Amino acid sequence: EPEVTQTPSHQVTQMGQEVILRCVPISNHLYFYWYRQILGQKVEFLVSFYNNEISEKSEIFDDQFSVERPDGSNFTLKIRSTKLEDSAMYFCASSRGLAGGYTGELFFGEGSRLTVL
Amino acid sequence: GQQLNQSPQSMFIQEGEDVSMNCTSSSIFNTWLWYKQDPGEGPVLLIALYKAGELTSNGRLTAQFGITRKDSFLNISASIPSDVGIYFCAGPSGTYKYIFGTGTRLKVLA
């Protein structure tokens, strides 16, 4: 069964360093997302991406964050200068899109745990 | 902004018991998604609902799209230890975004 894959599974970094989290969405999906989850809390929306551009972003997704689809398969999240409060699980998700403009069901990867020291 | 509130927040149940949980919104949704999250893993889609009043099953799980379109319910029958985890509802907030509920943490006592 097709799945969303994420790398790395865990990354430890120093405050102020740049981090890139990578995702390979399901191959025939059109919509891509990043969510994050601080330990013990709910899953929070960061950004959605469609047709090679950001569709929507949350207040969390400030200038320190960026997303890119550098080729036909990868979808990346970059944090330019990490802060302690960026420590969280980051989940990539994709959906295939449905008739009528619905994005359809989201399928999630296993997540990348980011620890900022 | 929009929020999805889930109740109960957590529950302990005995193996074999049935479980009910719900999700409520302050605004109308046209889709409800239910996910389960195991510790350290990503959310896994359980059931998707697209019509008010819809009742959909997936094995021992049954979910309903509330008639008011502001709520949804998830039932688990005859719970087993592997049902342990956090259950999240999610709904679309705009065209390109789903928001998640606060979660119901389920613990099953063998």
Side-chain angles (χ1 to χ4, degrees), chain A:
Chain A
E1 186 176 312
E3 57 182 20
V4 176
T5 57
Q6 291 187 239
T7 54
S9 55
H10 188 192
Q11 179 148 4
V12 181
T13 190
Q14 294 289 329
M15 195 168 55
Q17 294 296 304
E18 176 182 284
V19 159
I20 297 177
L21 305 178
R22 292 183 167 79
C23 168
V24 179
I26 295 172
S27 63
N28 63 345
H29 283 191
L30 303 176
Y31 299 84
F32 313 112
Y33 311 81
W34 284 100
Y35 283 78
R36 81 169 185 193
Q37 185 178 37
I38 295 170
L39 187 63
Q41 298 185 24
K42 68 176 181 178
V43 180
E44 297 177 290
F45 170 80
L46 290 179
V47 66
S48 57
F49 192 88
Y50 170 68
N51 204 23
N52 282 319
E53 60 184 22
I54 289 175
S55 309
E56 192 161 350
K57 60 184 180 179
S58 71
E59 292 173 355
I60 303 167
F61 195 88
D62 60 21
D63 292 343
Q64 291 300 312
F65 291 88
S66 62
V67 289
E68 197 176 36
R69 189 155 161 82
D71 52 43
S73 58
N74 290 286
F75 180 51
T76 62
L77 174 69
K78 183 195 288 187
I79 309 174
R80 259 180 271 282
S81 177
T82 49
K83 304 190 277 280
L84 295 176
E85 55 264 36
D86 293 329
S87 294
M89 279 288 276
Y90 288 82
F91 293 108
C92 175
S94 68
S95 64
R96 61 185 171 93
L98 300 174
Y102 296 120
T103 57
E105 299 138 19
L106 271 62
F107 293 88
F108 284 81
E110 290 293 302
S112 293
R113 179 174 298 282
L114 176 65
T115 302
V116 182
L117 303 176

Side-chain angles (χ1 to χ4, degrees), chain B:
Chain B
Q2 282 179 312
Q3 285 195 24
L4 295 180
N5 294 307
Q6 290 185 243
S7 66
Q9 190 173 20
S10 65
M11 55 196 313
F12 283 88
I13 59 165
Q14 292 285 340
E15 184 177 356
E17 285 184 351
D18 295 345
V19 174
S20 291
M21 60 188 79
N22 67 58
C23 180
T24 58
S25 168
S26 56
S27 51
I28 289 173
F29 279 3
N30 57 24
T31 302
W32 288 99
L33 306 177
W34 282 95
Y35 288 87
K36 178 178 183 254
Q37 186 180 30
D38 291 329
E41 298 187 12
V44 174
L45 182 66
L46 299 173
I47 293 178
L49 302 163
Y50 289 101
K51 273 198 246 182
E54 180 181 353
L55 192 70
T56 297
S57 292
N58 178 6
R60 293 178 296 105
L61 277 60
T62 301
Q64 184 163 24
F65 194 138
I67 292 289
T68 66
R69 298 173 64 190
K70 290 185 176 182
D71 53 13
S72 180
F73 309 91
L74 178 69
N75 295 311
I76 305 172
S77 62
S79 57
I80 58 178
S82 61
D83 290 333
V84 162
I86 306 177
Y87 291 81
F88 288 104
C89 61
S93 176
T95 305
Y96 300 106
K97 178 173 104 179
Y98 278 84
I99 58 172
F100 275 68
T102 49
T104 292
R105 187 181 297 272
L106 181 63
K107 300 186 184 183
V108 179
L109 305 172

